[in-house]
Amino acid sequence: MMLHELVVAAARRTPDALAVQDVTDALTYRELDELADRYAAALVHAGVRAGDRVVIWTAKSVATVALMQGCLRVGAIYVPVSAANPPARVERVAAGCAPALRVTDATGMDRLSQDENEHGDENDAEHGDGAARWRELTALAEGAAGLLPPPPHQGSPDDPASVLYTSGSTGEPKGVCLSHANALAFVRWACAELAVEPTDRLANHAEFNFDLSVFDLYAAFHAGASVHLISSEAAYAPEQLVRLIRDRELTIWYSVPSVVALMITRGGLLDGPAPTLRCCVVAGEPVSVEHVRRLRAAWPAVRLFNWYGPTETNVCSSYEIGALDSIPDRVIPIGHAACGDALTLEPTSDGSVGELVVSGPTVMLGYWGEAPQVGPYATGDLVRRNDRGELEYVGRRDHMVKVRGHRVDVAEVESALVELDAVAEAVVVTTGQGLAARLHAVCVVRPGAKAPTLLEVKRRGARRLPPYMLPDAVHVVGELPRTANGKYDRPSLAKRIERGELG
């Protein structure tokens, strides 16, 4: 079984059932199947072949979903990039995966034009080629005569399906390469665990380059259910999100905990009658015990889950939250192994916690352009077992942090900061968790230079970083503190910021 065969099968079973809906458009399974075929034909006409990468830098839409399906049908590998990413970061993603085609929409075209007007036209040829190809694809997919769908690609479930770019420790984005089999191992488990049915209506809150979207799309397609795309503009507007849940009568919600917290505290999620949700799942960052208690008290019949897993493994552990009186006082566990994966703890020096190591069917093929992943994957996450044998997340062993559900390697932010003429050294630290998480840039200014303002840092950083990676505050120091072995002393900086000692 391949990922794109899920839509083909659903179109045969229930062709007139709703498959995917965005803000303005909706497609039945028959319509999605036909549009995916037309995009497949257009891709072949554009020269895309099996194994090629296609970078898709667009807003979320039903057409984008059909294009991703079209890529899979010709054996190509889709590389989704959020529309919020600046052109410079899209270029770095493209440099990393060498795509046969880059696709953008009207929003991306506007971003490219603005970028070229502000920063010169050194990349005009590359930008123009990608934009022209999108117009061609759209025209062809909308019904140009003479194009027939290509024969189904005869691939293997172990073939790459997508490359999801995350923040990288080298300062460059890293492409997590996932196979059809990787995704399907998770999707089949998740559909069984949540008992997803054709009548379900799933929310898609995450961007397509975020691994949470794998569930939203492919669990819906596996079950013949419908998936409802939430625009980037509405993604952090709590009242709109709550209204969407009620208006679309959604039955399954999946997002980072901070978004659920936002809906509780500012969107009125728990006010009035309970929505139609029967499952609410969170993942991507630690979840607040307080908010879990409030959810359980208000929704005694809704199934609540805390899922865990880095992009490199998707979900590899799961914890179902029980009755109100069974909710832990201190921390919500990440539970037990899921999706057929095996979890082991590699002991650390003090023995109180261990680094979580994952082996099994959801472990990625590897990072694009690097050696294949062989054997278990060491997550870099520190966990411990509680007295019930459940895993609890403790933190990271490196400099990877989570900010409002997004994985951020501070090295990538730091590399952008030192590109500023005034900055000699820079360290990025975080304070707070969930909605309160903040990125702080601590800078040493070059002699005679004027310290950069937060506005300048955000404006320059936006050329190469997505919005969630831009610092929330800038602090200037004469010298960065270091540990005994010469490394930056990040914990001491974070403590000084929390105490208000850095301006």
Side-chain angles (χ1 to χ4, degrees):
M1 173 68 75
M2 309 285 276
L3 284 173
H4 51 285
E5 292 175 338
L6 300 177
V7 169
V8 175
R12 289 173 180 164
R13 293 194 309 267
T14 54
D16 297 323
L18 178 63
V20 58
Q21 185 170 0
D22 61 24
V23 175
T24 58
D25 297 308
L27 296 175
T28 65
Y29 273 100
R30 177 193 290 113
E31 291 167 336
L32 176 58
D33 184 37
E34 292 173 349
L35 184 56
D37 267 349
R38 295 200 297 272
Y39 270 119
L43 288 165
V44 170
H45 183 80
V48 175
R49 299 293 181 264
D52 285 345
R53 278 74 61 207
V54 177
V55 169
I56 303 174
W57 180 41
T58 67
K60 290 196 292 184
S61 70
V62 298
T64 303
V65 173
L67 176 57
M68 293 191 296
Q69 288 288 304
C71 290
L72 296 176
R73 292 181 184 206
V74 301
I77 304 162
Y78 69 85
V79 186
V81 181
S82 169
N85 277 251
R89 196 167 199 265
V90 181
E91 288 299 314
R92 289 156 65 208
V93 167
C97 68
L101 194 66
R102 278 182 282 182
V103 177
T104 192
D105 56 12
T107 301
M109 292 276 291
D110 291 342
R111 296 283 298 277
L112 289 172
S113 297
Q114 181 182 1
D115 186 68
E116 288 160 3
N117 290 335
E118 292 179 357
H119 308 122
D121 58 1
E122 64 269 18
N123 291 317
D124 276 357
E126 295 180 1
H127 287 164
D129 178 66
R133 292 293 193 184
W134 171 245
R135 289 193 295 269
E136 177 185 337
L137 278 179
T138 303
L140 291 170
E142 287 177 350
L147 281 187
L148 296 176
H153 174 68
Q154 299 300 315
S156 162
D158 293 323
D159 288 343
S162 63
V163 178
L164 306 183
Y165 272 84
T166 67
S167 185
S169 58
T170 64
E172 291 296 321
K174 297 191 75 170
V176 176
C177 188
L178 301 174
S179 69
H180 293 258
N182 290 150
L184 283 168
F186 162 53
V187 168
R188 286 170 175 150
W189 170 86
C191 282
E193 185 74 5
L194 272 59
V196 184
E197 298 286 346
T199 53
D200 277 312
R201 303 167 70 86
L202 286 70
N204 164 238
H205 181 271
E207 296 287 348
F208 293 151
N209 61 296
F210 198 1
D211 58 316
L212 272 68
S213 69
V214 172
F215 170 79
D216 305 333
L217 296 174
Y218 294 105
F221 300 157
H222 183 278
S226 61
V227 57
H228 299 257
L229 312 183
I230 297 172
S231 69
S232 299
E233 293 75 20
Y236 294 95
E239 292 182 351
Q240 289 187 49
L241 294 177
V242 173
R243 188 162 57 248
L244 183 141
I245 290 174
R246 298 184 186 279
D247 290 349
R248 296 281 180 91
E249 298 183 332
L250 301 181
T251 61
I252 299 177
W253 178 271
Y254 185 33
S255 74
V256 294
S258 54
V259 171
V260 175
L262 195 65
M263 291 192 290
I264 292 172
T265 58
R266 302 181 192 176
L269 179 63
L270 304 183
D271 299 341
T276 52
L277 290 177
R278 65 174 190 83
C279 292
C280 179
V281 187
V282 294
E285 62 190 358
V287 59
S288 161
V289 173
E290 175 194 353
H291 290 141
V292 168
R293 288 182 176 278
R294 292 180 66 180
L295 282 171
R296 176 49 76 220
W299 298 346
V302 175
R303 296 182 72 188
L304 304 176
F305 291 87
N306 185 31
W307 285 353
Y308 160 86
T311 304
E312 288 84 351
T313 71
N314 209 304
V315 169
C316 61
S317 77
S318 171
Y319 178 77
E320 183 166 5
I321 296 159
L324 184 60
D325 59 4
S326 72
I327 294 174
D329 294 327
R330 182 172 50 85
V331 63
I332 302 299
I334 59 174
H336 299 280
C339 307
D341 288 332
L343 309 181
T344 57
L345 273 60
E346 187 70 28
T348 55
S349 56
D350 64 5
S352 62
V353 297
E355 180 181 4
L356 189 64
V357 178
V358 184
S359 59
T362 70
V363 174
M364 66 173 179
L365 296 177
Y367 297 111
W368 189 264
E370 299 184 16
Q373 174 69 27
V374 177
Y377 174 74
T379 64
D381 288 337
L382 300 178
V383 301
R384 61 178 166 235
R385 292 192 186 276
N386 62 24
D387 55 9
R388 295 179 299 278
E390 300 157 341
L391 295 174
E392 295 179 345
Y393 176 82
V394 176
R396 291 288 303 175
R397 69 176 302 162
D398 55 18
H399 298 145
M400 197 78 71
V401 298
K402 284 291 184 75
V403 178
R404 295 177 284 279
H406 295 280
R407 189 172 80 171
V408 176
D409 193 301
V410 296
E412 188 172 356
V413 185
E414 290 166 354
S415 68
L417 288 169
V418 296
E419 289 184 357
L420 295 168
D421 294 337
V423 176
E425 290 182 277
V427 166
V428 173
V429 298
T430 60
T431 61
Q433 290 187 345
L435 286 176
R438 295 292 181 267
L439 281 175
H440 296 261
V442 184
C443 304
V444 175
V445 177
R446 297 183 186 280
K450 183 180 178 181
T453 65
L454 178 60
L455 180 61
E456 290 169 337
V457 168
K458 285 181 175 289
R459 185 171 61 243
R460 288 289 299 276
R463 294 176 56 179
R464 61 177 289 179
L465 301 174
Y468 66 84
M469 292 176 66
L470 297 176
D472 298 292
V474 176
H475 312 273
V476 176
V477 297
E479 184 178 2
L480 291 170
R482 297 180 182 272
T483 63
N485 61 8
K487 296 182 178 181
Y488 291 128
D489 190 348
R490 299 171 192 270
S492 73
L493 282 173
K495 289 178 181 177
R496 291 175 62 188
I497 291 169
E498 289 170 346
R499 293 195 296 260
E501 295 175 4
L502 296 184

